[in-house]
Amino acid sequence: MKKILSVSLTASLISLSCANENNKEQTNSFRSLNLHPVSATLAPEVLEMKYFADRRARLFEQIPDNSVVVLPSHSEIISSYDQNYSFRQDSNFYYMTGFNEPDSVAVLVKNGQEHKFILFVRPNDPLREQWNGYRAGLEGAKTQYLADESYEFSDFDTKILEILNNQDMLYFDLGSHKEYDTKAISWLEVINNPRTRINSKPLQIASIGNITLEMRLIKDDYEQYLIEKASKISAAAHTKVMQAALTANHEYELEAEFRYETAKFGATKQSYEPIVGAGRNTTVLHYIENDADIQRTDLVLIDAGAEYMNYATDITRTFPASGKFSEEQKQIYNIVLKAQLAGIEQIKPGHTYDQMNKAILPVLVEGLVEVGLLDANGKSVEQLIEENAYRPFYMHSCCHWVGLDVHDPSSQKVNGKFRELKPGMVLTVEPGLYINDTIKDIDSKWINIGVRIEDTVLVTEDGYKILTKDVPKQLSEVEQVVSGQ
Ligand SMILES: [Mn+2]
């Protein structure tokens, strides 16, 4: 598996399928069915239901007896008149079910040895399905998604009261689904009202996020595979974009290229709106207008990652639109690159989440002092860091978790202390320096140089694996790919 995924993206599909045949020992069908990291010719990956069942089993282990967990799906959202935004499933719901339809609810019930998985779904409806597409329906919820029981979504409001009857605990995330917040409170009102009370003791409510987000932090084999696939496809697309940049005159041309090169390989959605900025726009962190002209003297910063089967990746590269860095651009690029490599070097089990930033900051500050952008005034690097002297140039943190969400919402700290890294965690390392006209008293030659370099990295048993390593990053390599020489 590792061997095959590390095959370079330029390798032909023929050599990939040979590798496939040589790996008969593989048992997981997601591995044996489609090992091609960037093959457009095979069907999409299959859903491996056993992984979702395993997650539910692990969730059941962590909740007390007589508990009910309610996980709502997302609904469709109108974009204009009778049109919807492209549907994206709720990540917590998806993590536990693999079910990708709107208007659904998963309910998990634990009573002694009985662990029940109930899915409320949209029923089969030939007319609706003729117009709007396939539904798994009540049968599919059981046969394909392994639900023990399935009901129509429209029955949820009445059925949930029966389910909650005489249970002790309701696990639910208040605040994450507005409509359900109101519902959850109304269930408690019915069940806990002294006049209408059904339960012998009050039903309590607790956050399920504490458990699910802790689980989502460590990616299982299947998740690692899907994130690596999103990463491989996106890395190849970034390289293609660099190759197309020399003749591009507008930011949107490069955005279009990235979307095309990812969709073509089955990653039809983006993990986030692509950031494609040229010139001054390289200094705007979340610039997404992507509609400005590209001047040949500009740097271009592209922060983009496609989603694969709901799994994200996150990559940023910065390159000169001319194929050749100016002297100033080169100096800033090399500082950021050195900082990024120093950050990645800190990734291994046992190291804490803040060690990456602690390695990155001195490199950035030393670099800024060296090129004369920061006046040290006799102060040490430690003092300058202490005083946040770098903040006008670097105003974000270096890292975030990646998973079903591009900013995977698990916490960075536990009990006020930064977490230890563990195998199976996935995170970005993305230092940057951003210089524009808002910074006072600097030589104009530095203005409009924004550089960020970002990779998505898996924590392994003995260190790390850069999942997005196939995009050029060394300065000379970047120049080569962009200039085509
Ligand atoms: Mn990022």
Side-chain angles (χ1 to χ4, degrees):
M1 171 71 176
K2 274 190 183 135
K3 210 171 104 204
I4 291 154
L5 275 180
S6 68
V7 167
S8 117
L9 287 165
T10 51
S12 68
L13 290 178
I14 294 162
S15 70
L16 281 167
S17 33
C18 290
N20 187 358
E21 278 167 25
N22 293 336
N23 277 272
K24 295 241 166 75
E25 78 277 9
Q26 286 166 346
T27 51
N28 294 322
S29 58
F30 73 83
R31 290 178 172 185
S32 53
L33 273 182
N34 185 359
L35 288 162
H36 306 255
V38 287
S39 164
T41 56
L42 295 180
E45 308 287 337
V46 286
L47 269 177
E48 283 287 330
M49 292 321 301
K50 66 175 181 178
Y51 284 89
F52 297 93
D54 175 63
R55 290 170 204 161
R56 291 191 296 273
R58 283 187 284 132
L59 177 68
F60 275 124
E61 279 169 24
Q62 297 173 71
I63 56 174
D65 216 4
N66 302 323
S67 291
V68 176
V69 180
V70 174
L71 295 167
S73 79
H74 273 167
S75 310
E76 285 183 306
I77 301 169
I78 292 169
S79 64
S80 98
Y81 187 46
D82 59 353
Q83 298 300 307
N84 294 328
Y85 286 103
S86 167
F87 178 73
R88 171 54 161 76
Q89 190 54 284
D90 176 272
S91 294
N92 286 327
F93 174 86
Y94 186 80
Y95 183 76
M96 289 295 168
T97 63
F99 196 64
N100 224 1
E101 294 184 28
D103 299 335
S104 321
V105 191
V107 178
L108 306 177
V109 186
K110 178 172 177 175
N111 288 122
Q113 290 308 305
E114 195 190 33
H115 297 172
K116 223 189 293 176
F117 168 38
I118 306 170
L119 262 181
F120 290 84
V121 300
R122 304 176 306 177
N124 284 120
D125 178 336
L127 182 65
R128 288 264 162 223
E129 289 180 58
Q130 166 88 69
W131 280 83
N132 300 322
Y134 169 82
R135 296 174 174 189
L138 269 65
E139 244 342 270
K142 291 196 274 193
T143 55
Q144 294 172 52
Y145 295 91
L146 311 182
D148 300 306
E149 293 174 17
S150 61
Y151 302 98
E152 291 195 17
F153 177 67
S154 57
D155 292 336
F156 174 75
D157 289 339
T158 45
K159 195 84 191 153
I160 188 66
L161 288 173
E162 288 171 32
I163 295 171
L164 288 171
N165 186 10
N166 278 319
Q167 305 289 352
D168 297 338
M169 212 57 184
L170 164 63
Y171 282 93
F172 176 74
D173 274 334
L174 282 170
S176 65
H177 294 81
K178 225 173 174 181
E179 192 194 334
Y180 283 86
D181 288 355
T182 321
K183 286 182 196 251
I185 289 164
S186 75
W187 308 331
L188 289 180
E189 277 168 3
V190 173
I191 288 172
N192 290 348
N193 183 327
R195 289 162 206 262
T196 54
R197 187 151 81 198
I198 326 166
N199 285 15
S200 50
K201 55 180 175 174
L203 179 71
Q204 293 186 63
I205 190 162
S207 165
I208 189 63
N210 295 337
I211 299 173
T212 50
L213 294 186
E214 218 47 40
M215 289 175 67
R216 282 175 54 188
L217 196 50
I218 309 285
K219 274 72 184 176
D220 59 38
D221 287 358
Y222 186 44
E223 295 185 284
Q224 289 180 25
Y225 175 79
L226 294 173
I227 297 171
E228 180 149 22
K229 182 142 178 169
S231 299
K232 287 273 172 189
I233 293 171
S234 302
H238 267 275
T239 310
K240 287 276 191 180
V241 171
M242 281 187 192
Q243 287 166 340
L246 204 56
T247 53
N249 295 314
H250 310 91
E251 294 163 345
Y252 50 73
E253 293 175 46
L254 299 180
E255 177 185 352
E257 193 74 19
F258 187 83
R259 288 182 184 273
Y260 170 73
E261 287 294 341
T262 48
K264 199 167 104 175
F265 295 107
T268 52
K269 293 179 181 179
Q270 300 296 312
S271 312
Y272 51 99
E273 287 299 302
I275 296 164
V276 182
R280 192 186 190 282
N281 299 332
T282 60
T283 68
V284 180
L285 302 184
H286 289 166
Y287 172 80
I288 54 166
E289 281 83 358
N290 303 351
D291 59 358
D293 292 350
I294 301 172
Q295 309 299 329
R296 290 273 80 74
T297 50
D298 284 345
L299 278 183
V300 178
L301 183 153
I302 301 187
D303 184 341
E307 194 175 71
Y308 195 82
M309 287 180 79
N310 288 335
Y311 279 87
T313 188
D314 198 356
I315 309 176
T316 310
R317 288 294 185 270
T318 310
F319 55 82
S322 65
K324 191 109 186 81
F325 286 96
S326 73
E327 201 45 48
E328 290 74 27
Q329 292 169 350
K330 192 181 279 184
Q331 290 185 41
I332 300 301
Y333 188 90
N334 277 331
I335 298 168
V336 176
L337 179 60
K338 193 177 167 194
Q340 204 239 9
L341 297 174
I344 291 176
E345 275 312 305
Q346 293 302 313
I347 298 182
K348 66 172 178 184
H351 276 200
T352 51
Y353 189 89
D354 57 334
Q355 274 171 271
M356 287 80 77
N357 212 32
K358 281 183 175 159
I360 282 168
L361 285 178
V363 180
L364 294 181
V365 170
E366 265 166 28
L368 289 170
V369 171
E370 221 170 272
V371 301
L373 275 164
L374 206 59
D375 191 353
N377 261 330
K379 289 174 189 160
S380 68
V381 169
E382 292 73 34
Q383 275 173 305
L384 291 168
I385 292 173
E386 182 71 28
E387 290 171 10
N388 290 329
Y390 58 88
R391 277 283 160 191
F393 305 94
Y394 175 54
M395 60 298 284
H396 56 82
S397 68
C398 70
C399 307
H400 58 80
W401 308 121
V402 177
L404 281 167
D405 297 302
V406 66
H407 296 157
D408 229 25
S410 309
S411 69
Q412 298 170 2
K413 291 181 175 179
V414 179
N415 299 328
K417 280 190 181 161
F418 281 106
R419 279 181 190 279
E420 272 192 14
L421 300 179
K422 288 183 181 156
M425 291 178 171
V426 177
L427 68 156
T428 64
V429 181
E430 52 173 315
L433 289 174
Y434 312 93
I435 312 167
N436 63 30
D437 46 21
T438 61
I439 307 178
K440 292 193 179 68
D441 302 328
I442 53 164
D443 193 320
S444 62
K445 69 179 184 179
W446 299 108
I447 300 291
N448 297 344
I449 298 181
V451 175
R452 178 164 66 251
I453 303 172
E454 171 176 37
D455 283 297
T456 297
V457 185
L458 167 71
V459 185
T460 60
E461 294 294 335
D462 52 3
Y464 61 83
K465 181 178 184 186
I466 305 177
L467 302 177
T468 51
K469 68 173 168 44
D470 295 329
V471 205
K473 187 159 77 171
Q474 291 300 327
L475 188 139
S476 59
E477 238 184 320
V478 170
E479 284 187 336
Q480 254 173 33
V481 173
V482 177
S483 67
Q485 285 163 15

